[in-house]
Amino acid sequence: MAEIKRSFNDEMGFLKREDSTCYSIRPGFVTGMNVPGKFYVNDQLERLMIDELRSFSRQSHNAGGFLPAVKQIGNVAALPGIVKYSIGLPDIHSGYGFAIGNVAAFDMGLPDAVVSPGGVGFDINCGVRLVRTNLLYSDVQPVKETLAQSLFDHIPVGVGSMGIIPTKEQDLEEALQLGIDFSLREGYAWPEDKEHCEEYGRMLNADPGKVSSRAKKRGLPQLGTLGAGNHYAEIQVVDEIYDEFVAKKMGIDQKGQVCVMIHSGSRGLGHQVATDALVDMERAMTRDNIRTNDRQLACARIHSDEGQNYLKGMSAAANYAWVNRSSMTFLTRQAFAKVFNQSPEDLDMHVIYDVSHNIAKVEEHFVDGQCKQLLVHRKGSTRAFPPHHPLIPVDYQLTGQPVIVGGTMGTCSYVLTGTDKGMRETFGSTCHGAGRALSRNKSRNNLDYGDVLKRLEDMGISIRVASPKLIMEEAPESYKDVTQVVQTCHDAGISKKAIKLKPVAVVKG
Amino acid sequence: MTDLLYHLLDEFLFSFSAEFVVCRRVEIIELDIVNLRGESSRKFDLERHPQGTEIKAITMHQMKVLTTTEVTTETGALPRVECSPEGDTIIASSPYECYVLVDI
């Protein structure tokens, strides 16, 4: 659908700052918007969004790459069946079809409503898990290098690495069906891990039959591996506690307490499920007369065969990712146990929580005073349910759901909690991380990896990387400032800061 | 042409992910507008091959295949006009070019 070329000033006419944390996007910004858009930014983050739009409106022809994030929010608002608004969180940046950090909910009761794999992302159930210990930094500091090495030796990282926990095809089928229940049965997870996992580590509508054999073949050798890109395992220490009551409920009682954060997804299996679904759906779009503003927004009616097949396959891929994170938790517990010569139980290595930030969920939300069943797409965005929500664990009923927000390499990470305001305003969603500011290409060309490595060493961070050259792509300069992102969410009232962590060792692919 | 390119790259990605095959040279056994059969192989070896970026998926978006006479995109084939935004400059030593967007 050809868009009319507007001047930058005319484009800005559709955007309005509503308050210190939020902008609205008026329908008409792109063709066919069914609902308005809105995005959460403070002054600094706003600049990045507006600059992107300015460069775009000055281009004489389509120079390639992605549309600006604000335009993508608009295009998503034009999808059939979307309710309330198309939402951008502060870490938003352009992506395939949907921007990363874009949340969109669709009314399951409307026959026209669609599901879109681009709204979930290629890395289905990419997510973060936080494991605590009862160690303090003073315990870890003398053995930091040994510990980092032990972690690097236990967890396979980087492109082309193979899982070390033996898995057969039949195991994979069961993993896809059972999620964390598979890991429990095999002895890799503790029962308490399941309690502290989103969806209790298993999406019940998963169907391994809807995952292609190509996806399974890609997934089999990679089970239990970390991956590459922005995936990591970090040893972190508690740097600040913003809410002592909440922190205590998470088993965090002092600064300097050591934790481990694992950020990983569904590897090649998830990527293939997404690719297969996109091909399937593009074919179905003509048949079902679905039009979108962007080819990358390939989608299908939720209740069509293609839609249902995708959701069942997506759930299976999500289960794979939970098995993956469970396997790596197991390996992490082993690595620590070996270095400290104590059992993981004695080290109190419990999972605080495990969140997903690339997923589509069927949830109940109030829309115009009515309780509706919505399909909520969260791509680069984390669920953040408030206190007393029935789907969150008993331990967190008073605090609200923990939200793990991984910072970028060498910067800090946060744990937040969900709020009632967030439930009302963003379908119970908040940010997921820092969000890219520079594309991977620009980072590679402008930054020197020697400098980046040296800076990390100067900060006292032990680093083990499979591919040193990729460090530039992951350098903090390539990303927005996670502290700003988290603060904006806090100020907007859609989530609350609980704990701040800083890394002391990083293991990356 | 674009379909063929997409499936070829997708096959390489799949072979790498499932069987750790990487190759520097491919011998083409059969090639026509619709089919391609080739042969090559070498196993990815962590000892010899440094790890780089991981590719998640091949996409067809903004795919372009340029021969000396034609530019093929997802919308179809057009005659190649030199020095146009689509046709670009033809480099004498390598007149054949292709552009693919991959998700990393």
Side-chain angles (χ1 to χ4, degrees):
Chain A
M1 225 170 272
E3 289 289 335
I4 324 134
K5 230 5 178 147
R6 276 192 211 107
S7 72
F8 172 64
N9 281 334
D10 287 346
E11 298 277 39
M12 286 303 290
F14 286 88
L15 307 182
K16 178 169 166 236
R17 194 173 248 300
E18 299 289 338
D19 60 46
S20 60
T21 57
C22 189
Y23 254 89
S24 65
I25 304 174
R26 203 161 37 91
F29 184 56
V30 299
T31 328
M33 281 171 73
N34 295 318
V35 293
K38 71 175 181 181
F39 57 99
Y40 291 88
V41 281
N42 62 8
D43 291 327
Q44 265 104 323
L45 297 168
E46 163 194 340
R47 223 167 291 146
L48 289 163
M49 297 284 276
I50 308 298
D51 285 348
E52 205 187 20
L53 179 63
R54 189 183 290 118
S55 316
F56 172 77
S57 53
R58 292 199 175 141
Q59 281 170 359
S60 52
H61 64 278
N62 184 14
F66 295 132
L67 294 168
V70 285
K71 285 283 180 183
Q72 291 191 313
I73 297 176
N75 287 337
V76 167
L79 289 173
I82 188 171
V83 296
K84 282 179 102 170
Y85 17 59
S86 169
I87 304 166
L89 278 327
D91 45 354
I92 191 167
H93 60 280
S94 347
Y96 188 92
F98 281 62
I100 294 147
N102 199 167
V103 173
F106 296 80
D107 188 344
M108 307 256 320
L110 291 175
D112 273 2
V114 296
V115 55
S116 179
V120 170
F122 279 104
D123 195 359
I124 296 170
N125 195 5
C126 183
V128 195
R129 171 178 285 212
L130 187 63
V131 179
R132 66 168 185 259
T133 71
N134 56 15
L135 298 163
L136 291 178
Y137 184 55
S138 44
D139 302 315
V140 160
Q141 214 253 338
V143 293
K144 191 155 65 84
E145 292 301 320
T146 317
L147 191 55
Q149 190 61 44
S150 182
L151 212 57
F152 190 64
D153 292 336
H154 276 77
I155 301 180
V157 302
V159 63
S161 52
M162 279 175 41
I164 58 181
I165 298 176
T167 327
K168 299 184 303 294
E169 270 176 44
Q170 182 55 30
D171 294 327
L172 183 63
E173 287 288 312
E174 288 169 10
L176 293 174
Q177 185 76 64
L178 305 171
I180 208 177
D181 287 342
F182 171 79
S183 303
L184 257 171
R185 193 188 74 189
E186 299 295 302
Y188 293 115
W190 297 350
E192 304 90 320
D193 297 350
K194 182 179 162 76
E195 259 293 300
H196 284 184
C197 191
E198 201 173 310
E199 296 291 319
Y200 300 105
R202 175 183 173 181
M203 286 182 82
L204 298 172
N205 64 328
D207 184 352
K210 304 299 178 194
V211 174
S212 68
S213 61
R214 264 174 103 82
K216 287 173 186 164
K217 290 210 174 91
R218 272 180 84 175
L220 188 57
Q222 297 181 340
L223 196 55
T225 65
L226 187 64
N230 61 3
H231 293 162
Y232 58 75
E234 275 189 5
I235 303 176
Q236 303 176 335
V237 296
V238 174
D239 196 41
E240 273 195 64
I241 297 178
Y242 300 104
D243 188 325
E244 286 200 18
F245 173 74
V246 168
K248 257 220 154 57
K249 283 284 177 185
M250 296 178 185
I252 300 294
D253 45 29
Q254 54 186 304
K255 287 202 219 176
Q257 193 169 344
V258 173
C259 296
V260 181
M261 188 176 281
I262 299 170
H263 174 213
S264 180
S266 53
R267 314 290 288 102
L269 186 131
H271 310 159
Q272 193 65 47
V273 168
T275 313
D276 293 340
L278 285 168
V279 169
D280 238 9
M281 289 184 181
E282 277 189 35
R283 236 181 286 136
M285 279 170 79
T286 346
R287 178 196 73 201
D288 292 345
N289 200 21
I290 306 178
R291 314 259 289 276
T292 62
N293 291 349
D294 185 351
R295 252 198 85 159
Q296 295 176 3
L297 287 171
C299 55
R301 307 277 179 217
I302 297 177
H303 301 289
S304 67
D305 285 341
E306 291 80 10
Q308 288 297 303
N309 288 345
Y310 170 67
L311 287 169
K312 292 178 183 159
M314 184 209 77
S315 299
N319 287 349
Y320 177 97
W322 279 308
V323 170
N324 220 28
R325 289 203 279 281
S326 297
S327 306
M328 287 189 282
T329 307
F330 171 75
L331 295 168
T332 302
R333 286 170 174 151
Q334 295 298 302
F336 269 69
K338 286 204 179 115
V339 171
F340 291 98
N341 213 14
Q342 289 181 59
S343 75
E345 289 87 351
D346 285 337
L347 291 170
D348 190 36
M349 290 187 75
H350 278 89
V351 174
I352 293 181
Y353 206 61
D354 179 315
V355 290
S356 175
H357 52 237
N358 273 21
I359 201 145
K361 302 268 202 89
V362 176
E363 293 173 356
E364 281 187 0
H365 290 273
F366 278 95
V367 179
D368 299 327
Q370 269 195 314
C371 187
K372 294 218 164 136
Q373 260 215 339
L374 304 179
L375 181 66
V376 184
H377 292 65
R378 293 192 183 94
K379 176 179 179 177
S381 159
T382 319
R383 190 188 75 175
F385 277 172
H388 309 296
H389 196 286
L391 293 179
I392 65 179
V394 167
D395 292 339
Y396 301 126
Q397 281 288 306
L398 294 178
T399 60
Q401 181 212 311
V403 177
I404 324 281
V405 178
T408 51
M409 194 175 62
T411 65
C412 47
S413 302
Y414 289 85
V415 182
L416 318 174
T417 49
T419 62
D420 286 305
K421 190 164 190 234
M423 196 66 186
R424 289 192 306 272
E425 297 205 358
T426 58
F427 305 110
S429 318
T430 191
C431 60
H432 81 299
R436 296 201 75 92
L438 284 180
S439 72
R440 286 180 196 274
N441 243 358
K442 277 214 190 95
S443 311
R444 227 182 283 138
N445 296 335
N446 293 347
L447 307 165
D448 177 77
Y449 82 94
D451 289 339
V452 176
L453 270 173
K454 174 129 199 339
R455 211 162 350 123
L456 290 171
E457 275 170 24
D458 290 343
M459 286 194 275
I461 302 175
S462 306
I463 177 140
R464 296 289 186 281
V465 201
S467 173
K469 298 222 190 94
L470 290 189
I471 293 225
M472 293 100 76
E473 290 176 15
E474 297 306 311
E477 292 84 347
S478 313
Y479 285 85
K480 301 184 186 186
D481 181 349
V482 66
T483 304
Q484 301 244 359
V485 169
V486 160
Q487 192 61 48
T488 308
C489 291
H490 184 95
D491 294 336
I494 59 178
S495 55
K496 271 171 42 182
K497 295 187 327 193
I499 299 169
K500 178 176 168 195
L501 301 134
K502 65 170 204 241
V504 297
V506 179
V507 170
K508 280 189 70 58
Chain B
M1 188 66 77
T2 46
D3 271 344
L4 193 56
L5 180 59
Y6 172 82
H7 287 292
L8 175 67
L9 290 175
D10 195 46
E11 199 57 39
F12 275 128
L13 179 60
F14 174 70
S15 303
F16 175 72
S17 307
E19 287 147 36
F20 300 99
V21 170
V22 289
C23 36
R24 282 173 62 193
R25 298 181 65 231
V26 179
E27 189 186 320
I28 301 189
I29 300 172
E30 257 179 64
L31 172 62
D32 61 42
I33 297 289
V34 177
N35 303 301
L36 181 151
R37 197 154 70 86
E39 199 176 279
S40 74
S41 86
R42 185 184 292 208
K43 198 97 182 201
F44 180 72
D45 184 348
L46 277 169
E47 310 265 306
R48 286 165 53 207
H49 303 122
Q51 289 168 298
T53 310
E54 174 151 50
I55 293 182
K56 292 189 180 152
I58 316 292
T59 75
M60 284 205 58
H61 296 278
Q62 287 161 21
M63 186 182 278
K64 245 166 43 172
V65 179
L66 298 111
T67 65
T68 47
T69 51
E70 256 188 0
V71 178
T72 316
T73 61
E74 3 167 26
T75 42
L78 292 167
R80 184 174 184 175
V81 176
E82 208 176 331
C83 298
S84 68
E86 291 77 30
D88 222 7
T89 341
I90 298 180
I91 306 161
S93 53
S94 50
Y96 297 92
E97 300 171 67
C98 60
Y99 297 90
V100 182
L101 208 75
V102 300
D103 193 282
I104 58 171

